[in-house]
Amino acid sequence: MAVAGSRRLIPAAREEKSMLNIGVFIDGFRKPVLEGLELAAKLGCRSFQVYITKGPMLASAMDKSARAEFVSRYRDLGLTLSATCGDFGLHFGRPDLMKEKEPLLKDAILQTVDLQASIMTTHIGSIGEDPDGRVRETMVDNLKRLGDFAADHGVTLATETGLESGPSLRSLLEEAGSKGIGVNFDPANLVMNGFDHMKAANVLSPFIVHTHAKDGVRQGDHGKEVPLGEGDVNFPAYIALMKDLGYKGAYTIEREVGDDPVGDIKRAIEYLRQF
């Protein structure tokens, strides 16, 4: 990824109204990555997350020089990379998918190191109906192996919440027993799937290394994402709980739907600044 010129970009002045590390998933702007970086800095974000699973950010598309240029670019803008996202449509309980895509996941972990991040988020799939326990056993084995691989490179592979209850996910992670496995806590995913996000945060707290600031509602048998502060995630209580639990990481705004992503993200930043 070429970075035009050598001028040092000066980020817009930030209004330090909040002690939170407010970040943004820059893909949510629906703009090219470098434009997303500049917009994140202009809006006063301290950090960002980015997909490394497609286009110019894919590991195979970025040589060592391009990775170094990307790091230089976001640092010039006054940003830090809170986490990469290496979500390749994996299911840790399906050997066929793991055989096909595990090399991509490992390459993404190594790329995360080069991009100067220590967390990579991903989805691991759901245990679902598992009468003979084989899905769970396979998931545990894969979590252990890939978690250890990540840990060997100074990275935490953070599974995103939503498909399991807090106690169910914690049990799975404890059984895997890898220091390289953590949790990317997404309260909206839990709400949209009918789980209690506050109870889940308490249960999963030892594993939480990153969190998404996203909101949603449960409608019948389905969930719906809504703008931050308009859904069923109790953000005042949730952020107070996270502070009590000792969480000091990023609150990364993720907006995946809607006709005005930039406007929604701007409003989400202002909403989080009250905390």
Side-chain angles (χ1 to χ4, degrees), residues 21-145:
N21 177 352
I22 300 174
V24 63
F25 210 138
I26 60 169
D27 301 83
F29 289 127
R30 301 179 209 165
K31 296 180 178 295
V33 171
L34 295 183
E35 286 185 34
L37 286 179
E38 294 186 7
L39 187 51
K42 181 179 179 181
L43 293 176
C45 292
R46 291 170 55 186
S47 61
F48 72 100
Q49 184 177 11
V50 64
Y51 274 106
I52 54 172
T53 58
K54 58 187 178 182
M57 293 303 298
L58 193 63
S60 60
M62 295 187 85
D63 59 18
K64 289 283 187 179
S65 175
R67 296 175 189 189
E69 286 183 31
F70 184 77
V71 172
S72 177
R73 182 60 170 253
Y74 74 69
R75 286 182 173 173
D76 281 350
L77 289 166
L79 297 168
T80 60
L81 178 55
S82 64
T84 60
C85 182
D87 194 356
F88 293 95
L90 282 163
H91 191 305
F92 279 50
R94 286 186 53 183
D96 56 334
L97 282 178
M98 295 304 293
K99 182 178 180 180
E100 174 189 355
K101 296 185 177 182
E102 184 174 323
L104 296 175
L105 192 71
K106 287 183 174 179
D107 285 347
I109 289 171
L110 298 177
Q111 181 187 9
T112 295
V113 176
D114 289 340
L115 296 180
Q116 301 295 302
S118 60
I119 299 169
M120 187 175 85
T121 70
T122 193
H123 288 81
I124 64 171
S126 173
I127 296 175
E129 293 185 9
D130 186 26
D132 58 9
R134 290 185 181 178
V135 173
R136 182 184 181 89
E137 181 180 357
T138 302
M139 291 185 84
V140 167
D141 289 345
N142 285 323
L143 281 167
K144 170 65 174 173
R145 185 179 68 263

Side-chain angles (χ1 to χ4, degrees), residues 20-22 47 82 209-211 246-251:
L20 296 185
N21 177 352
I22 300 174
S47 61
S82 64
V209 295
H210 195 257
T211 185
Y247 178 75
K248 293 181 172 61
Y251 291 81

Side-chain angles (χ1 to χ4, degrees), residues 209-223:
V209 295
H210 195 257
T211 185
H212 281 163
K214 188 170 73 179
D215 211 344
V217 296
R218 181 74 173 172
Q219 296 180 329
D221 295 331
H222 303 283

Side-chain angles (χ1 to χ4, degrees), residues 170 185 197-208 237-249 251:
R170 176 164 178 164
F185 196 90
H197 63 294
M198 297 294 287
K199 290 182 179 178
N202 269 302
V203 169
L204 292 168
S205 61
F207 293 94
I208 297 173
Y238 172 64
I239 291 174
L241 173 61
M242 292 292 278
K243 289 179 178 179
D244 287 345
L245 294 172
Y247 178 75
K248 293 181 172 61
Y251 291 81

